[in-house]
Amino acid sequence: MEKIWPVIYSWLIYVGGAIIAYNHELIGIGVLFIFFFVSDFFTGFFASLKQGKGFQSSKARWSFAKAFCYFGTFAVIVFLGITLKKMDVFMNVLNVAVWSATWFECISNLENLLILFPNNRFLKFMHYILAVEWVKKIPGLSDFLKEEKTKDKEKNNG
C-alpha cells in the first residue's frame, strides 16, 4: 500500500496540472452550459405554469438527469484526454459535444419561450431555422426523426 501512494499523488498532480492548463476553456464551457441549463429549467417551469400544469417533479427530474448526462459526458471526455495525454485533441471533441448540447438546450429554450410568447415572430423564425432548417443539413437525421415519429404514432395507436 505504501508503494501505491506516490503513484496516486503523482497522478493527481498530473491531472491537476492538466486541468489548470485548460482551465480557461473548461470554465467557459461550464459557464455556457450552466447558463443554458438554468434558462431551460426556468423557461420550462414558467411554460408549464402558463399551460396550467404547475410544477411537475417528473419533468424537473428529467431536466436534472439530462444535465448530469451532459456533464458526465464532458467529464469523461476530459478524463480520457488527461489519461491518454492528448488533451488538445479531446478539447476539440469536447467542443463538439458542448456545441451539440448547447444546440439541444437552445431548441428546448425556444420551444418553452414559444409557449410563453406564442405570437412572437422572431422566436418562431429562430425555432424554424434551428430546429427545422438546420436539421435538414444533417444527412439522415430528418429520415431518422420521421421514422421515430411513425414508431411513436404506431405505439400510441396500437
Side-chain angles (χ1 to χ4, degrees):
M1 187 69 177
E2 290 179 16
K3 293 180 182 180
I4 203 163
W5 285 113
V7 173
I8 292 173
Y9 288 141
S10 61
W11 196 83
L12 287 173
I13 290 170
Y14 172 74
V15 168
I19 289 174
I20 289 170
Y22 290 94
N23 195 26
H24 63 283
E25 290 181 48
L26 293 175
I27 288 175
I29 287 169
V31 168
L32 174 74
F33 189 72
I34 287 171
F35 168 76
F36 278 109
F37 167 71
V38 169
S39 65
D40 182 43
F41 181 79
F42 282 112
T43 58
F45 174 71
F46 291 124
S48 181
L49 288 178
K50 183 171 182 175
Q51 292 175 325
K53 295 179 182 175
F55 180 76
Q56 297 174 331
S57 63
S58 62
K59 286 191 176 187
R61 281 193 307 269
W62 170 247
S63 181
F64 281 102
K66 185 171 60 167
F68 283 122
C69 287
Y70 288 144
F71 276 123
T73 301
F74 302 159
V76 166
I77 291 170
V78 170
F79 178 75
L80 286 173
I82 291 170
T83 304
L84 298 175
K85 299 179 183 170
K86 301 270 186 192
M87 196 61 187
D88 54 339
V89 173
F90 281 90
M91 284 306 290
N92 292 331
V93 173
L94 183 63
N95 282 329
V96 171
V98 167
W99 284 113
S100 299
T102 302
W103 180 64
F104 290 127
E105 292 301 311
C106 280
I107 302 279
S108 181
N109 274 319
L110 282 171
E111 289 170 350
N112 292 333
L113 288 171
L114 281 170
I115 292 170
L116 293 171
F117 308 105
N119 297 325
N120 189 312
R121 293 182 76 193
F122 176 73
L123 292 175
K124 287 179 183 178
F125 174 73
M126 290 305 296
H127 185 266
Y128 176 75
I129 293 297
L130 289 175
V132 178
E133 286 300 313
W134 204 81
V135 168
K136 290 180 184 176
K137 304 292 184 208
I138 302 172
L141 184 59
S142 59
D143 294 334
F144 171 76
L145 293 174
K146 287 177 192 173
E147 182 179 319
E148 287 297 310
K149 201 177 279 187
T150 305
K151 286 181 183 177
D152 286 343
K153 283 181 183 177
E154 290 173 0
K155 188 169 73 173
N156 290 336
N157 292 334

